[in-house]
Amino acid sequence: MRKTIYITPKDTEKLKQKARKLKRAENLSHHEALDSVAKSAGFSHWQHVCQSTRLLNPTCIFTMEIKEAEGFDRHFIPDASLSIVCEDDLYKQFVLESDELDIKGRPLKETHPRKELCEIFQDIMDGLVFYRASDKLKITSIEQLFKLVHEQSFWLPNHAWINGKYFDGMA
């Protein structure tokens, strides 16, 4: 059984660069170099790298709060591993939110220590369910996503990413 490895598109590109260098240095075919680099990185072969990259690079991702994330059985697949892909965008948005207790309305990053922000943020992440669109579904707009989600839920997504573009604060 092949193990699941998650790799970002950026890291996949680095492996491609290593393969190009290896191809020239050892006079290998393109395919041989890709497979060799993939195996040295812990993958079964280059196709395993490609499949693993797609796991972290779906065309459509969205989040719902746990209490609102029920009944999705068509089109969308819950995938906790997507939190890795989405975490940076969500954290950046979180720390820029206005501190409701601050009379000056400063962002949270100016009123709370980083350690405290990280703890609060982790609680928020633990309360989210991450979904990706099935491979058969090609979502190209936020409107299309809303329509499909609305067919199965009263609630709209909290956050969404379509073809890598982040849409914030929809719920």
Side-chain angles (χ1 to χ4, degrees):
M1 185 171 140
R2 184 170 62 198
K3 64 182 177 178
T4 301
I5 302 173
Y6 297 100
I7 183 169
T8 65
K10 182 178 177 180
D11 289 335
T12 300
E13 191 57 40
K14 288 178 184 177
L15 290 179
K16 285 181 186 177
Q17 290 171 3
K18 282 184 180 181
R20 285 185 203 108
K21 289 177 184 176
L22 182 64
K23 176 184 171 184
R24 287 190 291 269
E26 298 191 17
N27 199 26
L28 297 174
S29 72
H30 182 67
H31 181 72
E32 290 171 324
L34 288 171
D35 277 346
S36 177
V37 168
K39 288 176 184 174
S40 71
F43 295 89
S44 303
H45 43 71
W46 184 253
Q47 192 59 27
H48 187 195
V49 173
C50 295
Q51 291 165 349
S52 298
T53 303
R54 282 193 296 273
L55 288 173
L56 282 182
N57 197 28
T59 58
C60 178
I61 303 169
F62 70 92
T63 67
M64 300 283 285
E65 291 184 27
I66 288 176
K67 64 183 182 249
E68 299 167 355
E70 293 183 22
F72 287 105
D73 56 358
R74 292 182 20 229
H75 307 303
F76 304 111
I77 301 157
D79 189 341
S81 66
L82 293 172
S83 63
I84 297 166
V85 177
C86 304
E87 189 172 30
D88 286 347
D89 286 334
L90 293 174
Y91 186 78
K92 288 175 189 173
Q93 184 266 335
F94 165 68
V95 298
L96 292 175
E97 288 178 9
S98 180
D99 184 343
E100 296 172 357
L101 301 176
D102 183 51
I103 58 173
K104 295 179 183 177
R106 293 177 294 177
L108 290 169
K109 70 178 187 174
E110 293 179 18
T111 61
H112 290 71
R114 180 164 171 74
K115 183 178 178 183
E116 184 180 331
L117 288 174
C118 289
E119 290 170 3
I120 295 167
F121 179 70
Q122 189 56 56
D123 287 342
I124 292 169
M125 291 291 285
D126 291 345
L128 295 176
V129 178
F130 291 81
Y131 289 93
R132 63 180 167 83
S134 71
D135 292 338
K136 297 174 186 170
L137 193 63
K138 302 298 180 215
I139 296 176
T140 58
S141 71
I142 195 69
E143 295 80 15
Q144 183 184 12
L145 173 63
F146 283 173
K147 182 176 184 257
L148 291 169
V149 168
H150 190 65
E151 289 175 3
Q152 299 179 57
S153 173
F154 172 78
W155 307 102
L156 290 177
N158 300 91
H159 309 276
W161 294 257
I162 298 175
N163 294 319
K165 183 179 178 190
Y166 174 54
F167 294 88
D168 168 37
M170 296 171 285

